[in-house]
Amino acid sequence: MKALLNIENLHVTIEHKNILNGTNLVINEGSTNVLMGPNGSGKSSLALTIMGHPRYIITQGTINFQGVALNTLSPDKRAKAGVFLAFQHPCEIEGIRLGDFLREAYNSLYDNTPQQLSLKEFATHLKNQLNLLKISDSFVERFVNVGFSGGEKKLAEMLQLAVLQPKLAILDEIDSGLDLDALKTVCTAITAIHAAHPHMSFLIITHNPRILNHLTLDAVHVMRKGEIVTSGGPEIVDELEKKGFK
Ligand code: ADP
Ligand code: MG
């Protein structure tokens, strides 16, 4: 299998505090990965560092994405390279319809290229993705996340993922605060998107083993104190459930 993302010896600080202390992580093309670990172990920091959040300063190590060093690229360039991050707490944007937001996001990814879509072409693309995720048309008429339930906010992130079709989708605590039905809906969306785009890779951050009952995993990575301490197959999850993160 070909590596899509290869992180080597990554050290990161925030406000002069060491957060990541030599993280190593390989994500293969087309694979579904889960990143687990106790609260405060650095999972979100790793996700934000991959995406290029300016508060996270890389002091050592490399983030290699298909042969390109992401380290110094701005977040928009990383997005154009094919990295996507779904937020744990998506923000609400009053006055902006979800459908318009998605069209702007899509067309800015393809700035000045023939892949940009006209209004009509985008409407078709969006409709296809709504069908894929079995979401009703009225969903995208609403303002971005305004008045959305927890489950709807996460579904909106999944719709964004389906529309933008990145190479790597990082989903930070996509399951947090969801009841079982909403959790299943999100997992069904992930599975449908992956089936439609088999080359897409997923890094799903969670500390809830329940999500794993609804997804087919290739690899599990466990983080502690800013380091990946174990990587392996899905069987690691059973062990974690029995023994905890220690
Ligand atoms: P996780 O997502 O695994 O729960 P985080 O990446 O959020 O862990 O946090 C890792 C560590 O980094 C924690 O000790 C947290 O307090 C610290 N940290 C994260 N973000 C910030 C920040 N913006 N300012 C200060 N410390 C932070
Ligand atoms: Mg977190």
Side-chain angles (χ1 to χ4, degrees):
M1 270 221 252
K2 249 171 94 181
L4 174 67
L5 180 78
N6 188 356
I7 295 179
E8 281 180 8
N9 189 33
L10 192 67
H11 291 251
V12 168
T13 63
I14 182 162
E15 280 139 34
H16 306 292
K17 184 175 152 195
N18 294 332
I19 306 282
L20 301 183
N21 308 303
T23 300
N24 294 294
L25 177 67
V26 175
I27 292 186
N28 287 323
E29 252 175 40
S31 66
T32 303
N33 299 255
V34 161
L35 176 62
M36 304 184 85
N39 271 329
S41 53
K43 304 183 297 296
S44 295
S45 301
L46 177 60
L48 289 163
T49 303
I50 295 170
M51 201 66 235
H53 192 295
R55 287 197 4 180
Y56 295 83
I57 309 294
I58 299 176
T59 55
Q60 243 192 91
T62 51
I63 306 175
N64 192 300
F65 188 73
Q66 287 192 311
V68 176
L70 291 186
N71 294 47
T72 56
L73 294 185
S74 57
D76 62 307
K77 297 236 169 59
R78 298 183 199 210
K80 283 178 183 164
V83 186
F84 172 91
L85 172 63
F87 290 114
Q88 182 172 356
H89 304 291
C91 64
E92 301 182 4
I93 313 175
E94 189 79 52
I96 306 286
R97 291 186 201 287
L98 181 58
D100 294 331
F101 172 79
L102 291 171
R103 193 181 71 246
E104 285 297 324
Y106 183 93
N107 278 336
S108 32
L109 271 190
Y110 294 111
D111 235 0
N112 297 317
T113 72
Q115 280 120 302
Q116 281 204 326
L117 299 178
S118 67
L119 271 177
K120 201 166 158 231
E121 288 164 337
F122 184 78
T124 307
H125 176 58
L126 181 57
K127 179 71 185 154
N128 290 339
Q129 307 316 312
L130 288 167
N131 289 344
L132 177 71
L133 303 186
K134 300 188 171 63
I135 299 173
S136 80
D137 293 0
S138 60
F139 191 65
V140 293
E141 297 300 321
R142 296 167 68 185
F143 294 150
V144 178
N145 290 318
V146 177
F148 283 24
S149 67
E152 285 174 333
K153 283 184 180 170
K154 298 300 159 94
L155 199 56
E157 295 289 289
M158 292 304 101
L159 179 60
Q160 203 184 135
L161 172 55
V163 165
L164 301 181
Q165 302 174 359
K167 292 174 183 147
L168 173 65
I170 306 171
L171 313 179
D172 194 0
E173 304 264 355
I174 200 75
D175 51 338
S176 71
L178 299 190
D179 62 27
L180 197 56
D181 283 342
L183 181 69
K184 277 189 192 157
T185 304
V186 166
C187 290
T188 304
I190 294 173
T191 305
I193 294 168
H194 204 182
H197 307 283
H199 293 295
M200 205 184 270
S201 305
F202 291 81
L203 179 60
I204 298 165
I205 300 174
T206 182
H207 54 238
N208 175 5
R210 254 195 346 183
I211 194 176
L212 311 176
N213 300 334
H214 306 289
L215 292 171
T216 309
L217 302 183
D218 297 298
V220 177
H221 313 277
V222 181
M223 193 160 208
R224 265 194 86 195
K225 297 183 180 162
E227 279 183 68
I228 305 281
V229 290
T230 313
S231 287
E235 70 281 354
I236 290 183
V237 177
D238 299 332
E239 224 172 294
L240 281 175
E241 279 198 277
K242 277 187 214 128
K243 297 184 188 162
F245 287 119
K246 297 265 158 61

